[in-house]
Amino acid sequence: MTEKNPIEKELEKLDAQWETFVESGRPILRWNIDPDANQLMAGFLKMREQFDETSGEFFVALHSEFSSLERFGFDLSDELNREIAAGVAASAEDEDDENPEDAFTWRAPDPKKALSGHDALYKSCHQILEAFADYFSTLVIAIWPHEVKDLKAWRRWLQLACEIHRDYKLWGDNLKWIIIDNAQRPAFAKLAQDYPIQIFSQTPLLNLREAMNKIMEEADNGSPGAAFRQCFVDMNYAVQNNDIPALQSRSERALTIAGEQAWFDMQCSVLLLRASGYLNAKQAEKALQDYQQAQQCALQGIEAERPGCDKLLFQAHISEASAYLSEKRYEKAAKSYRRSADIAEAQEDAMMCMESWRLQCYCLERLKLKGYAWESALRGLKAAGLIEPEQRQYTTLPYLGETLLRVAPTREDKDYVHEAMAALLGEGWREAHAARAETV
């Protein structure tokens, strides 16, 4: 039997704790994860999302932003429904069914019929369990918001979920939740004490850095590639820990190696990663310098016909634009978004082309250049027409539509916007967007 590598051994710790949780019979697993081990947690979830019929469990990781107590359940339900719809569509393509009329179909529950965000999420979960009963018996959703704007409200949201489980028969044993808590600054310790029948807490002893270092040592053959990989791993940890001195020293070494080897794509990746670290440390000027240098490296790579450098060029430009926007330097941001829109158009990436024009329009509005904002938004609308119809509702197109109505110079122009948006999203696009924004 082949010996497991250090990362696999770390993941085995999570597998063992998951089985302990299942045996507990409780509905919510609160996993206390050190931020340094978040990548291991993400890897565990990604592996579990690869459906295995033998386990009887179906995992879905949800990362909707927690913006408010009222909206969160609806946002999670919407994200869950999109994930299921995408999975059904991909399965149909893989099977290449000769009788499409017999293909499996799944329809999400109507969120307008939900009494609350929690109710919307439960309705989606139970409809999935009912629809896919022949394929799996347990649905596991990992709720891991990519951003939490109000930690107190996030705790209250989970408390309400515990109260619903305690007071109503809505869950059943075939629905499990995973909540990721920060082991260094726990948010749900008191809640877990107050609701021990609902929440099962575990703290896995994970050490991603040690595992990565072992892998690097095993793979270190003295080559430039091995040295570069170690530097890049160290940079990631430096960014996570906001260790700017370590980030600078390891990035300089990585840039030297990549420069000596003419690895333009790797130079670009180092600069983008370092820039993200500078932004976290509120050093915007240094980040902007790195984004601009990354653009030059990407251009060199494109000239040398190195794969991937075209995508890196777009990423460097739109990241620069976003950095300017965060600093409220709207004129600079507008120019950068214009460049990212042109690059996305050349790369036939209609979604990012539309988004770049939309964000440029936002900047022009802030500069009170309404006429130019209108022209920019129209170009975004043109790009939106190239997005696949089934994908449009999951983009920022409704926000672009609202922007167009806001900057439209005449009544006739507003009528044109309504007509164009109806053609792209359907007649009720604005009402649906308003209902979604207001969380029904």
Side-chain angles (χ1 to χ4, degrees):
M1 180 182 294
T2 304
E3 184 179 355
K4 290 183 170 60
N5 66 46
I7 296 294
E8 290 173 326
K9 291 179 181 178
E10 293 296 306
L11 291 173
E12 282 185 337
K13 298 176 183 178
L14 293 172
D15 287 329
Q17 288 206 340
W18 171 254
E19 295 304 324
T20 301
F21 162 68
V22 171
E23 291 171 3
S24 76
R26 276 169 271 190
I28 301 173
L29 169 58
R30 169 181 166 250
W31 242 333
N32 301 307
I33 304 295
D34 191 287
D36 282 351
N38 278 345
Q39 293 180 52
L40 277 172
M41 188 70 245
F44 170 84
L45 293 175
K46 185 61 67 176
M47 290 180 63
R48 289 281 180 152
E49 283 183 312
Q50 308 304 312
F51 179 56
D52 178 7
E53 293 182 2
T54 60
S55 71
E57 298 169 340
F58 184 71
F59 278 67
V60 183
L62 304 177
H63 302 288
S64 293
E65 170 189 314
F66 187 96
S67 57
S68 74
L69 178 67
E70 295 76 16
R71 289 185 55 176
F72 190 50
F74 288 101
D75 291 339
L76 290 175
S77 174
D78 188 37
E79 184 183 1
L80 177 59
N81 293 334
R82 291 199 306 269
E83 290 292 327
I84 297 301
V88 169
S91 177
E93 289 181 6
D94 291 342
E95 292 177 3
D96 193 22
D97 197 336
E98 295 181 359
N99 300 306
E101 65 276 5
D102 297 330
F104 183 85
T105 58
W106 179 79
R107 183 180 295 276
D110 185 354
K112 293 182 180 179
K113 296 181 179 179
L115 301 176
S116 67
H118 285 88
D119 189 39
L121 181 57
Y122 296 137
K123 279 182 166 60
S124 292
C125 290
H126 289 299
Q127 189 149 323
I128 290 166
L129 283 164
E130 182 178 346
F132 296 94
D134 292 339
Y135 300 91
F136 54 84
S137 58
T138 302
L139 174 63
V140 182
I141 59 172
I143 303 175
W144 195 0
H146 68 81
E147 183 178 354
V148 176
K149 292 185 176 180
D150 187 339
L151 184 58
K152 184 177 180 181
W154 173 209
R155 281 195 291 262
R156 176 58 179 157
W157 189 90
L158 185 57
Q159 180 183 352
L160 288 172
C162 292
E163 292 174 358
I164 290 169
H165 178 273
R166 180 193 64 194
D167 299 336
Y168 302 96
K169 303 297 182 182
L170 292 177
W171 282 55
D173 294 336
N174 55 357
L175 175 60
K176 304 290 185 183
W177 287 10
I178 297 174
I179 303 296
I180 311 300
D181 206 353
N182 186 328
Q184 294 182 2
R185 297 189 299 277
F188 306 116
K190 179 66 165 56
L191 199 62
Q193 292 175 3
D194 293 343
Y195 295 90
I197 303 302
Q198 285 72 38
I199 300 177
F200 186 83
S201 297
Q202 296 197 96
T203 304
L205 300 177
L206 302 173
N207 194 329
L208 176 59
R209 185 162 196 174
E210 181 180 346
M212 290 297 297
N213 285 337
K214 287 181 179 178
I215 290 177
M216 293 298 175
E217 290 172 7
E218 294 170 2
D220 187 0
N221 55 7
S223 68
F228 178 87
R229 286 192 295 273
Q230 183 64 64
C231 288
F232 204 76
V233 168
D234 292 342
M235 283 182 64
N236 273 284
Y237 281 106
V239 170
Q240 291 175 22
N241 297 318
N242 201 24
D243 187 346
I244 298 302
L247 177 63
Q248 290 173 328
S249 64
R250 302 311 287 157
S251 62
E252 289 303 324
R253 176 60 180 148
L255 288 171
T256 297
I257 296 171
E260 290 172 349
Q261 303 299 318
W263 293 339
F264 301 114
D265 54 341
M266 293 297 98
Q267 285 179 287
C268 191
S269 297
V270 168
L271 290 163
L272 291 172
L273 178 57
R274 188 169 71 181
S276 70
Y278 283 144
L279 283 180
N280 290 341
K282 310 300 182 186
Q283 297 183 23
E285 286 302 323
K286 288 184 177 180
L288 287 164
Q289 290 173 13
D290 275 356
Y291 287 136
Q292 290 157 11
Q293 189 178 344
Q295 293 163 19
Q296 298 306 311
C297 291
L299 287 171
Q300 288 179 280
I302 291 171
E303 186 176 349
E305 299 183 350
R306 302 292 169 80
C309 284
D310 54 344
K311 300 298 182 185
L312 289 169
L313 178 63
F314 172 80
Q315 185 179 345
H317 275 287
I318 200 165
S319 297
E320 177 194 34
S322 298
Y324 278 130
L325 181 58
S326 68
E327 293 291 299
K328 295 182 169 53
R329 296 166 66 176
Y330 298 119
E331 185 174 354
K332 291 278 191 180
K335 291 179 179 178
S336 295
Y337 281 125
R338 168 59 193 267
R339 287 193 287 270
S340 69
D342 289 341
I343 294 169
E345 182 178 5
Q347 295 177 2
E348 298 183 347
D349 188 337
M351 191 176 300
M352 294 313 300
C353 184
M354 178 200 73
E355 182 65 357
S356 296
W357 286 119
R358 185 183 74 84
L359 290 169
Q360 190 204 39
C361 176
Y362 175 86
C363 296
L364 294 171
E365 276 194 275
R366 293 298 175 276
L367 294 168
K368 302 188 185 304
L369 299 173
K370 194 171 181 180
Y372 289 109
W374 167 245
E375 293 176 8
S376 182
L378 282 177
R379 298 190 71 165
L381 184 64
K382 181 180 178 181
L386 300 176
I387 299 173
E388 292 295 330
E390 62 272 13
Q391 295 180 358
R392 291 172 189 159
Q393 61 179 316
Y394 305 126
T395 70
T396 56
L397 178 55
Y399 293 96
L400 175 63
E402 294 293 343
T403 300
L404 281 157
L405 291 174
R406 192 167 59 245
V407 299
T410 68
R411 169 52 60 186
E412 289 76 13
D413 291 320
K414 290 182 186 292
D415 291 342
Y416 167 73
V417 171
H418 281 296
E419 181 181 341
M421 291 296 297
L424 292 171
L425 290 175
E427 289 293 338
W429 74 272
R430 200 176 188 196
E431 292 78 6
H433 175 60
R436 189 73 187 85
E438 295 171 7
T439 323
V440 188

